[in-house]
Amino acid sequence: MTPDRRLAWWLVWAYPPRFRRDVGLGLVDALEDRMRARRAAGAPAAIIWLRASVDTLRNASAEWIDCTRDAVKGVRDNDRRGRPSGHPNRGRTMIDKLRQDIKYAIRTWTRRPAFALVAILTLAIGIGANTAMFSVVNAVLLRPLPYAHADRLVTIWGLATGPQALSGNPHMLVAYQEYREIARQSSSFDAVAMWFSQSVNLTGVSEPQRLIGSFVTGSFFDVLNLRAERGRLFAEADSAPGTVKPYVVISHDLWQQRFEGKDAAVGATMTLNGVPLTIVGVLAPVFDVRTVPSEGWFVGYDVYIPAAQFPARNLDTVSMLSVGRLKESATMATAQADLEVIARRLQTLFPQTNTNRTIIAESAHESIIGQSRTALFLLLGAVGAVLLIACLNVSNLLLARAIDRQREIALRAALGASRLAVTRQLIVEAGLLAVVSTTAGLLIGRWALDALTMLPRPQGVPIPQQIALDTTVLLFTIGTAIVVALVCGLAPAVRTSRPDLSRVLQAGFRRGSATGSRTRDILAAVEVALSVTLVAICGLLVQSLLAVQRAPLGFDPSNVFTLEFRLPQAKYRTPEEIARFFQQAIERVRAVPGVQSAALVRAVPFSGNWGNTRYTVEGRTPPAKGSEPQTRYHIVTPDAFRTLRIPLLRGRDFTDRDDLSARHVAIVNETLARTAFPGEDAIGRHLTSPDAGPEPLTIIGIVGDTKHLSSTEPPQPQLYVPHYQFPLIFASLVARTSGPPMNVSNDVRRAIWSVDKDQPMWKMRPLDELVAASQGQPLFLATLLAVFAGIALLLAGVGIYGVMSYAVAQRTHEIGIRLALGASGQRVLGEVVARAARLTGIAMFTGLVLAVAAGRFVAAVLFGVRPSDPSTLAGAAALLAIVSLAACYLPARRASRVDPVVALAEE
Amino acid sequence: MALRPIEFHILLALAADERHGYSILQEVAELTDGDLTIEPGTLYRALHRMLKDGWVVESARRPAADLDDERRRYYRLTPLGRRVATAEADRLWRLLAVARQHRLLTRA
């Protein structure tokens, strides 16, 4: 055979079978002739073959379309006339058979709509939930960050290495002086930048407004490859300390809102934090911030201000977030090695701050989404298990029907029909189920996503506001559909592909064959096992949630109104001016009706704001520079403890007399008192802290421990100093109210405006809402898992019910005989229940083993409960036992009440 | 109703003699001075449809032994196919007559 002819043969294979049979040989000849003629004319072989292939591609696909259209038309004609069209050439091709199987499946469904509806609905819900969950995972975990060279973006952090490092916040911000060394010395980065977002006050406009600004180094735009859509961005030289370039770059949105998108915005002046800044450019939007998780990263701020403008006396010691772009040749490992070398140099350069401190790099993607990985994969795993249970249920239903038909098929097989007919029919039906339920599932998934994004987004699970069903998700769903079809169709197909003819036929036409009951039992047992696992994990999460909610906070968050503000440094230059403003503001707020007490704190608990410092105990040999122990650092006005109801255990609270002229005082919490002065009385002792100046602090009181960042953090040492001795332009107001906290918000604001009419305020919130928000992730996880576990329980119940009632129905005849011979109904009932119990018992054991294995994975999101918590596991098992007993009760009762006369007459 | 050009060409090629597929292609190329090159796939799709509609049939008769290539399948017109071709030729003739009326013909 010539190569041309061989190719022609291959090409003709592309046509539909009917076409091949009718004119295939002729086409092979013609193709070969055409190729030979072209060869004779001197055309190169590649061109000849290409033209033949293109010809085939075009015509074969057209022919397939025609023949499918004919087939569909044929079905419709048949249906209309109720008999096969008498086409003379009509053969039993694959398409015909397929068409028949599909018709058969649809006919079965319309005859038993309840079965079809339940099957399709269960699968559609399962597929929908999976599609929605995977969309979230895809949007959050799988998609790269929407920046150029996203895979090379890294975040850079400080890391405490000494034994005194505080637990709970291992990643520390990078100081400007460290950044400078990294940028200068590292050979692994294309560019490194610092950025830090902070509220800025916009004044000089009709109503003072708070904007969210980001203080950035000029290299920031370079690292992220950002560009200006109008004007220009500022350069590294414009942001360095010492240069006071009054520049600002504004966001696209702010440009549209404030300047209606006019070009005149560039060059205009904005007064931010009391300083007039010139708008040099408008940042081109990188992406729709609603479609990315956690819009708080890198961009999405109103204004970008040179880092040199950061409100601090000495920029060198200011800590900020740091981001860098790796060189193409660099890897995380080389960058890390590089940073370690620099960290050692920093230790000698800045022994005060950098002893026991190293610098690490982490992929930016990991920094942003790393914490949510466990939670999201847990949810994806849970919906996957629910879908699997749904599939097994449908598989069981299909199997039951197939076994019913098996006698008919065995008979047909004995008479010469194809044994594979039933298998093929089952696979086609499972496939059709998968297709229909996937279509419905995509819709459900879309709705579920909308519902999910409408829920309050929990802290710690960054879910974008808008999630698109993109190609990856569609591919995932199609893959899911294939798996669904396989799981649904596999067991029944395998079970019926080789029917044991003699046995089936010997069993006769009685409904007595027990064929397939073992397969069905196994399917039901797997369902139960998976449900036990889900219920157990759900139980762990609920316990964890309860533990989080029960964890003592150390303060009373109910009826507390909070708000944040900052004073413009340009207006309040001296500590005296700041202290005076605060004293006046507090007095006016206390006078507001409905306010019982009020105070200022540097950081409201659970607001996400916090500060750390180091301390040394007076009168002891100080530890090496840089290895001093750390403590949380709070600045509060008098009455803060009373307002937050933090118990004052010993000593006294701060008073108005603890001011700039008085000697410096401090209050410590129990943990700090215990760590710093073990077995001694802390009152009257002295501490020094670099943040509180050189003068020692005299301890005047001891208060109870409080949680500050989350309910789950371990007790931390805490040091309180009086606001009037250490005035800070940042402050938050806390006010205990007699009624609902938000009722006082307008009066409180007016009270502060009566002191300074230019003062914007923000984040007006009740404290208990802050606390509740911090518990959002455990609540979110426990709620979703409870829904999934509920569905799983229901499906497992349906599964057991199905298996049991089928078994009873199959044995009606036998039971009838036994009852007629004098067996008691009780005994029959007992037997049915015992079988269900055996099944459930094995399944429960497997499920518990699975749950313990899965628990190790879940441990990362648990608090206050061990993954192998015996009571939770026992509870899950008990719940499943109840469900499975309830599910087998009806079939068992039916069995015990079989009327022997009816059962025997049934044949 | 008008035929598709390729169908008319096939009918014309088969009008005088029965032919195998490739010789239909050659005939079409000759008839149009090589302007119209039909690819084998296109030809056989049309031929397949015409077979189903009963315009052409596979011929059982073979040409003289020395010209025959025994693998080949020959096709010939059925009476129905001949009537279809005649009808189409008539239709085209009427169109040509109109064209001549409007002096659109360059040839006599």
Side-chain angles (χ1 to χ4, degrees):
Chain A
M1 203 187 273
T2 66
D4 284 349
R5 189 160 183 84
R6 200 172 304 131
L7 177 69
W9 272 105
W10 279 113
L11 290 177
V12 170
W13 262 104
Y15 286 87
R18 168 101 191 270
F19 181 90
R20 288 205 305 269
R21 206 179 44 215
D22 290 347
V23 293
L25 287 173
L27 179 54
V28 171
D29 292 341
L31 277 168
E32 193 196 357
D33 287 339
R34 172 54 54 86
M35 287 191 265
R36 193 188 300 135
R38 287 206 168 121
R39 203 176 284 276
I47 298 288
I48 294 168
W49 289 343
L50 189 71
R51 291 181 75 161
S53 306
V54 169
D55 168 33
T56 307
L57 214 61
R58 213 177 55 208
N59 286 297
S61 55
E63 190 62 32
W64 271 109
I65 291 169
D66 284 355
C67 100
T68 321
R69 197 163 47 212
D70 287 351
V72 171
K73 221 172 108 215
V75 172
R76 243 183 267 132
D77 291 346
N78 284 354
D79 288 348
R80 214 173 296 134
R81 276 176 266 148
R83 62 187 164 79
S85 67
H87 201 293
N89 287 335
R90 201 162 170 264
R92 296 273 301 159
T93 62
M94 201 59 199
I95 292 196
D96 289 331
K97 289 182 190 167
L98 218 68
R99 214 166 64 199
Q100 227 177 29
D101 287 341
I102 292 175
K103 268 169 68 183
Y104 181 84
I106 293 174
R107 210 162 55 217
T108 338
W109 292 357
T110 44
R111 218 178 281 150
R112 295 175 57 188
F115 159 78
L117 211 64
V118 168
I120 292 173
L121 209 64
T122 343
L123 290 178
I125 291 173
I127 292 174
N130 274 274
T131 303
M133 220 52 243
F134 180 78
S135 303
V136 175
V137 169
N138 177 47
V140 177
L141 297 181
L142 304 184
R143 204 180 291 157
L145 298 178
Y147 301 97
H149 316 298
D151 53 327
R152 277 153 52 198
L153 290 184
V154 297
T155 49
I156 303 169
W157 305 91
L159 187 70
T161 52
Q164 307 290 349
L166 269 191
S167 57
N169 38 310
H171 282 29
M172 296 192 288
L173 301 180
V174 172
Y176 193 89
Q177 59 192 15
E178 293 175 317
Y179 154 74
R180 207 164 34 201
E181 294 302 313
I182 296 168
R184 198 181 292 157
Q185 294 174 10
S186 169
S187 53
S188 306
F189 296 98
D190 276 341
V192 188
M194 296 277 275
W195 67 283
F196 200 72
S197 66
Q198 207 175 57
S199 305
V200 292
N201 294 350
L202 172 65
T203 50
V205 288
S206 52
E207 191 178 316
Q209 196 189 348
R210 169 231 189 187
L211 297 178
I212 308 197
S214 186
F215 292 86
V216 304
T217 57
S219 52
F220 179 80
F221 304 114
D222 178 24
V223 169
L224 296 174
N225 224 339
L226 306 176
R227 39 168 215 91
E229 61 181 325
R230 291 288 186 284
R232 62 178 182 89
L233 304 172
F234 51 82
E236 183 70 9
D238 301 327
S239 68
T243 59
V244 186
K245 292 278 174 60
Y247 293 157
V248 60
V249 168
I250 63 174
S251 73
H252 175 84
D253 286 350
L254 189 71
W255 181 47
Q256 295 297 330
Q257 287 162 21
R258 244 178 203 291
F259 300 95
E260 287 131 20
K262 288 185 186 135
D263 287 345
V266 175
T269 305
M270 279 176 110
T271 306
L272 295 171
N273 287 348
V275 182
L277 300 177
T278 308
I279 299 173
V280 294
V282 179
L283 190 69
V286 190
F287 46 77
D288 186 347
V289 288
R290 288 167 306 175
T291 61
V292 296
S294 174
E295 59 265 48
W297 280 83
F298 304 139
V299 298
Y301 303 103
D302 299 320
V303 290
Y304 299 83
I305 305 170
Q309 305 275 352
F310 192 77
R313 283 187 199 90
N314 179 5
L315 190 63
D316 276 353
T317 54
V318 166
S319 290
M320 292 186 161
L321 287 155
S322 184
V323 58
R325 193 178 71 235
L326 290 178
K327 282 193 172 127
E328 225 161 327
S329 55
T331 63
M332 282 301 279
T334 57
Q336 190 56 60
D338 216 13
L339 288 175
E340 265 161 39
V341 172
I342 295 172
R344 272 199 291 282
R345 206 167 308 154
L346 286 167
Q347 287 172 3
T348 47
L349 270 175
F350 312 111
Q352 286 272 21
T353 50
N354 281 62
T355 314
N356 288 328
R357 180 176 160 97
T358 187
I359 309 283
I360 58 160
E362 186 181 54
S363 95
H365 191 254
E366 178 67 23
S367 306
I368 296 176
I369 55 86
Q371 285 184 330
S372 55
R373 186 175 288 127
T374 312
L376 288 178
F377 277 135
L378 171 66
L379 291 176
L380 191 61
V383 290
V386 169
L387 180 59
L388 190 54
I389 294 173
C391 288
L392 293 175
N393 243 342
V394 172
S395 175
N396 234 341
L397 291 169
L398 286 177
L399 182 60
R401 260 223 336 264
I403 291 168
D404 273 350
R405 277 192 77 205
Q406 206 171 18
R407 281 185 304 276
E408 170 207 336
I409 288 317
L411 197 63
R412 273 169 52 189
L415 297 174
S418 160
R419 283 180 180 203
L420 288 175
V422 173
T423 312
R424 203 192 51 234
Q425 161 59 35
L426 275 169
I427 291 172
V428 167
E429 186 170 357
L432 201 60
L433 268 178
V435 168
V436 174
S437 50
T438 303
T439 317
L442 274 175
L443 278 179
I444 294 178
R446 185 68 263 183
W447 295 329
L449 269 186
D450 290 344
L452 198 66
T453 44
M454 266 188 275
L455 283 179
R457 285 179 297 156
Q459 282 178 7
V461 184
I463 294 176
Q465 281 171 296
Q466 283 185 358
I467 302 170
L469 288 179
D470 63 6
T471 330
T472 322
V473 174
L474 285 179
L475 283 178
F476 170 84
T477 307
I478 290 168
T480 313
I482 293 170
V483 172
V484 165
L486 280 177
V487 175
C488 288
L490 196 64
V494 168
R495 198 62 205 78
T496 52
S497 63
R498 299 205 174 281
D500 183 346
L501 288 187
S502 55
R503 242 188 73 204
V504 174
L505 289 177
Q506 268 168 20
F509 291 82
R510 273 190 300 112
R511 308 192 61 196
S513 160
T515 333
S517 68
R518 181 178 297 266
T519 320
R520 289 171 49 74
D521 283 1
I522 292 173
L523 292 180
V526 174
E527 280 183 47
V528 173
L530 284 172
S531 309
V532 172
T533 313
L534 272 188
V535 171
I537 288 175
C538 172
L540 289 176
L541 288 170
V542 170
Q543 295 247 10
S544 167
L545 174 66
L546 291 178
V548 167
Q549 286 178 341
R550 272 198 306 253
L553 298 172
F555 63 91
D556 176 8
S558 60
N559 285 344
V560 176
F561 171 82
T562 75
L563 65 74
E564 292 182 12
F565 58 90
R566 56 163 297 163
L567 301 179
Q569 204 165 26
K571 193 165 170 184
Y572 296 89
R573 288 178 186 286
T574 65
E576 287 78 9
E577 279 171 338
I578 298 173
R580 198 174 313 124
F581 172 85
F582 283 153
Q583 250 157 349
Q584 285 175 2
I586 279 288
E587 247 151 57
R588 304 267 170 97
V589 170
R590 279 185 188 135
V592 168
V595 171
Q596 292 178 341
S597 66
L600 292 176
V601 296
R602 168 179 162 174
V604 175
F606 289 77
S607 64
N609 298 330
W610 56 278
N612 274 357
T613 188
R614 298 159 189 272
Y615 67 90
T616 48
V617 178
E618 276 286 294
R620 290 203 200 129
T621 42
K625 280 286 180 207
S627 61
E628 301 93 342
Q630 292 205 8
T631 172
R632 289 266 160 80
Y633 183 56
H634 302 292
I635 307 178
V636 299
T637 61
D639 251 8
F641 300 115
R642 193 162 66 89
T643 304
L644 291 171
R645 297 208 174 131
I646 298 171
L648 181 66
L649 303 173
R650 301 197 45 218
R652 66 166 177 93
D653 189 3
F654 300 128
T655 67
D656 284 352
R657 283 185 302 281
D658 297 316
D659 58 12
L660 288 164
S661 57
R663 73 183 172 133
H664 287 176
V665 291
I667 292 175
V668 296
N669 75 341
E670 271 185 289
T671 303
L672 180 54
R674 208 171 40 241
T675 359
F677 309 99
E680 301 169 54
D681 187 4
I683 304 264
R685 302 290 298 269
H686 302 282
L687 293 178
T688 51
S689 162
D691 286 88
E695 191 188 326
L697 304 161
T698 308
I699 297 172
I700 55 164
I702 301 175
V703 293
D705 288 352
T706 60
K707 299 285 165 61
H708 191 80
L709 289 177
S710 75
S711 334
T712 56
E713 66 181 2
Q716 306 273 4
Q718 290 169 316
L719 175 67
Y720 295 86
V721 297
H723 221 307
Y724 299 149
Q725 292 184 338
F726 304 97
L728 193 74
I729 55 168
F730 290 95
S732 301
L733 177 86
V734 289
R736 183 158 293 278
T737 57
S738 44
M742 292 314 282
N743 284 359
V744 302
S745 70
N746 281 335
D747 290 341
V748 167
R749 273 197 303 174
R750 265 195 292 277
I752 293 176
W753 276 333
S754 71
V755 185
D756 182 344
K757 66 171 176 51
D758 276 345
Q759 187 56 53
M761 284 158 266
W762 56 84
K763 288 191 182 165
M764 277 158 282
R765 296 174 295 194
L767 184 53
D768 47 8
E769 251 176 41
L770 290 180
V771 173
S774 81
Q775 298 168 350
Q777 176 173 351
L779 182 65
F780 182 74
L781 283 181
T783 313
L784 285 186
L785 247 286
V787 171
F788 299 152
I791 297 175
L793 263 184
L794 187 72
L795 290 178
V798 170
I800 292 181
Y801 173 80
V803 168
M804 284 303 152
S805 41
Y806 190 77
V808 168
Q810 272 189 325
R811 291 177 57 208
T812 308
H813 187 78
E814 176 208 328
I815 292 171
I817 293 178
R818 287 177 51 197
L819 288 175
L821 294 176
S824 74
Q826 282 300 318
R827 178 154 178 199
V828 171
L829 189 136
E831 274 176 25
V832 175
V833 172
R835 181 171 160 202
R838 205 163 51 236
L839 189 78
T840 316
I842 297 169
M844 254 164 11
F845 179 73
T846 323
L848 289 182
V849 172
L850 267 177
V852 171
R856 299 219 320 240
F857 168 74
V858 184
V861 291
L862 292 184
F863 169 75
V865 55
R866 277 181 304 130
S868 56
D869 183 53
S871 62
T872 308
L873 295 183
L879 189 58
L880 252 290
I882 293 169
V883 167
S884 88
L885 280 183
C888 81
Y889 174 72
L890 278 181
R893 208 182 56 164
R894 207 178 306 137
S896 71
R897 293 190 181 170
V898 164
D899 182 344
V901 180
V902 175
L904 294 175
E906 216 177 33
E907 287 303 291
Chain B
M1 198 191 70
L3 290 183
R4 301 198 311 153
I6 179 164
E7 289 168 337
F8 193 50
H9 273 297
I10 294 173
L11 292 174
L12 287 183
L14 293 177
D17 211 347
E18 51 195 57
R19 291 173 182 277
H20 58 75
Y22 188 67
S23 94
I24 297 177
L25 293 180
Q26 285 171 315
E27 177 73 13
V28 170
E30 217 164 288
L31 222 64
T32 59
D33 294 327
D35 282 345
L36 180 62
T37 312
I38 299 172
E39 290 297 332
T42 314
L43 169 77
Y44 270 92
R45 276 191 67 217
L47 206 54
H48 186 224
R49 202 166 33 243
M50 292 161 80
L51 274 167
K52 282 203 290 189
D53 291 342
W55 297 0
V56 295
V57 285
E58 211 174 309
S59 169
R61 215 153 39 89
R62 300 303 232 194
D66 52 340
L67 293 171
D68 192 12
D69 177 348
E70 69 162 79
R71 343 177 281 238
R72 301 221 181 262
R73 268 128 201 94
Y74 285 78
Y75 300 97
R76 65 175 166 80
L77 285 191
T78 61
L80 173 62
R82 200 165 283 281
R83 279 209 303 280
V84 170
T86 313
E88 175 72 356
D90 276 341
R91 188 183 70 84
L92 290 175
W93 177 253
R94 281 196 301 277
L95 291 183
L96 277 179
V98 178
R100 177 153 39 198
Q101 233 173 10
H102 295 292
R103 298 177 190 286
L104 291 172
L105 280 191
T106 52
R107 295 173 208 188

